[in-house]
């Protein structure tokens, strides 16, 4: 069972599982199974009868969406995960894979982020409710392994990007938001775009197919309590990112920084040693190529000339 299997990451995870030979994959969509409720979870577990649960369902978004929905992002992510793991254990599921988030890391910690440093401080404020709700599922996984011998593992992907991402400006993450801004501005002949923050923050981005591969490898090969980062080990500043997206989309106007808006976490980059050593995962997609594929997907889908 892949919760959130119809979403951006979930669609690719399902495709990878199929490619790996999985024949019965159950995806409980939210319109049929509301996983915030115990009823929805019970029905999903009873209809899917899974041996393995990969839990991707979540409410997610960029800084703006996190700032507007701290209560909802905390409650829905916490309640879905906590109840689903408990009911899965009671239903006799063999293995439970939780997909956490880089937003769980402390705001200030040494870079690249190592799993050992996960508890060394409070996350960046704008995404703390989301990040901490998901982080509690790590505690739950470890507690359930210790008390019940439940095989729950916990993965921490860095920011994702790729074809199929969410381009809705109200909830999109930084890459789709910037692609849309640049494409819209180019088509409208605008002489500038406004971008949140100062451009000095750094981020790391993992191509969605790579993330899916990491999840499927961990589901097959990793059975232990320690959290594991899924990243690439390649850090870019938001300024470099905007410049590259402008270049690839053909937007030649001015980039104006709105420093009254938050930068979010100052730096983000992952130490990827554990994933490589523990289950043989290494990201493969070259950065420029992944970005180009994402832009091509967006422009072809939206009928914009490229
Ligand atoms: N995107 C990133 O940059 C990123 C980075 C790190 C970690 N992650 C994690 O990766 C996972 C997938 O993220 P994503 O970007 O693929 O998000 P997404 O496209 O928004 O997918 C999330 C899915 O969750 C499902 N969902 C939400 N509320 C639900 C409910 N009440 N009941 C049942 N299903 C519900 C939705 O299913 P329906 O489509 O059926 O409504 C949706 O397809 C999340 O756990 C997220 O925290 C994402």
């Amino acid at each position: 069972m892949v919760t959130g299997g119809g979403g951006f990451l979930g669609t690719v995870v399902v495709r990878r599982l199929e490619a790996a030979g999985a024949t019965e994959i159950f995806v409980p969509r939210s319109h049929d199974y509301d996983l915030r409720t115990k009823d929805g979870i019970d029905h999903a577990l009873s209809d899917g009868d899974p041996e393995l649960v990969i839990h991707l369902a979540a409410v997610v978004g960029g800084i703006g969406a996190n700032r507007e929905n701290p209560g909802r992002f905390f409650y829905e992510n916490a309640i879905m995960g906590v109840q689903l793991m408990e009911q899965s254990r009671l239903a006799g599921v063999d293995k439970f894979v939780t997909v956490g988030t880089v937003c769980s890391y402390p705001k200030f910690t040494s870079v690249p982020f190592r799993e050992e440093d996960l508890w060394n401080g409070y996350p960046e404020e704008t995404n703390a409710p989301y990040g901490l709700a998901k982080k509690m599922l790590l505690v739950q996984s470890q507690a359930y392994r210790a008390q019940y011998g439940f095989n729950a593992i916990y993965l921490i992907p860095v920011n994702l990007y790729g074809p199929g991402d969410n381009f809705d400006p109200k909830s999109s993450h930084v890459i789709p938001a910037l692609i849309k801004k640049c494409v819209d501005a180019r088509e409208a002949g605008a002489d500038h775009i406004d971008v949140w923050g100062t451009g000095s923050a750094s981020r790391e981005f993992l191509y969605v197919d790579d993330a899916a591969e990491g999840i499927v490898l961990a589901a097959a090969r990793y059975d232990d309590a320690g959290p594991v980062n899924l990243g690439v080990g390649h850090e870019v500043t938001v300024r470099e990112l905007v410049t590259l997206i402008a270049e690839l989309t053909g937007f030649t106007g001015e980039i104006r920084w709105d420093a009254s808006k938050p930068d979010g976490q100052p730096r983000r980059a992952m130490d990827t040693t554990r994933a490589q050593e523990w289950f043989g995962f290494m990201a493969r997609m070259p950065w420029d190529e992944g970005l180009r594929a994402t832009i091509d997907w967006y422009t072809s889908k939206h009928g914009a000339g490229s």
Side-chain angles (χ1 to χ4, degrees):
M1 178 160 100
V2 183
T3 73
F8 168 48
L9 173 60
T11 306
V12 189
V13 168
V14 168
R15 215 187 293 140
R16 290 244 158 206
L17 286 168
E18 282 165 352
T23 48
E24 293 173 74
I25 303 171
F26 179 67
V27 174
R29 301 302 303 261
S30 63
H31 47 76
D32 299 321
Y33 305 91
D34 183 352
L35 299 179
R36 295 168 303 184
T37 68
K38 183 168 173 301
D39 266 4
I41 289 172
D42 287 346
H43 281 131
L45 287 170
S46 144
D47 290 353
D49 192 23
E51 293 165 357
L52 166 71
V53 172
I54 299 181
H55 178 44
L56 305 174
V59 285
V60 307
I63 295 177
N66 272 279
R67 283 216 301 185
E68 279 168 25
N69 299 284
R72 178 172 165 236
F73 278 25
F74 178 83
Y75 178 75
E76 295 191 8
N77 287 312
I79 198 71
M80 264 195 278
V82 167
Q83 279 202 125
L84 180 66
M85 199 182 311
E86 170 69 355
Q87 296 311 314
S88 296
R89 172 184 81 79
L90 293 173
V93 165
D94 292 334
K95 183 165 179 176
F96 193 99
V97 179
T98 297
V99 173
T101 167
V102 65
C103 300
S104 300
Y105 268 97
K107 178 173 183 178
F108 300 108
T109 190
S110 51
V111 178
F113 297 171
R114 292 177 319 131
E115 292 89 342
E116 294 86 341
D117 294 330
L118 197 54
W119 295 99
N120 287 350
Y122 196 76
E124 196 277 327
E125 295 74 11
T126 54
N127 60 45
Y130 163 71
L132 289 174
K134 299 210 108 194
K135 203 164 170 175
M136 287 307 104
L137 305 181
L138 168 61
V139 178
Q140 188 182 9
S141 302
Q142 293 173 332
Y144 279 29
R145 181 177 292 278
Q147 182 169 357
Y148 309 121
F150 187 57
N151 188 7
I153 65 166
Y154 190 88
L155 306 172
I156 311 176
V158 76
N159 293 48
L160 307 178
Y161 76 108
D165 207 343
N166 167 22
F167 281 79
D168 177 350
K170 288 200 288 297
S171 52
S172 56
H173 289 100
V174 60
I175 288 186
L178 290 171
I179 291 175
K180 180 168 169 33
K181 252 182 204 194
C182 287
V183 170
D184 288 355
R186 187 200 65 202
E187 292 189 338
D191 64 351
H192 74 277
I193 56 167
D194 294 305
V195 183
W196 277 29
T198 62
S200 64
S202 74
R203 291 289 178 270
E204 175 176 313
F205 298 99
L206 178 63
Y207 195 65
V208 65
D209 290 67
D210 281 333
E213 188 187 356
I215 291 166
V216 171
L217 281 175
R221 299 180 181 170
Y222 178 60
D223 298 303
D224 219 329
V228 186
N229 290 339
L230 296 179
V232 279
H234 171 70
E235 189 182 4
V236 287
T237 65
V238 174
R239 187 173 294 276
E240 288 163 344
L241 174 66
V242 180
T243 308
L244 183 56
I245 290 177
E247 189 187 311
L248 293 176
T249 54
F251 172 68
T252 51
E254 183 193 351
I255 293 156
R256 290 188 193 159
W257 297 95
D258 180 358
S260 70
K261 295 289 199 305
D263 272 329
Q265 190 153 12
R267 285 184 72 190
R268 267 188 194 167
M270 292 291 212
D271 181 310
T272 56
T273 317
R274 266 194 194 178
Q276 193 177 346
E277 287 180 357
W278 292 4
F279 50 87
F281 169 67
M282 264 185 82
R284 286 187 286 198
M285 175 58 90
W287 170 228
D288 291 23
E289 203 178 306
L291 213 44
R292 216 179 290 272
T294 311
I295 293 167
D296 287 350
W297 179 83
Y298 175 69
T299 50
S300 65
K301 190 164 185 292
H302 292 266
S306 33

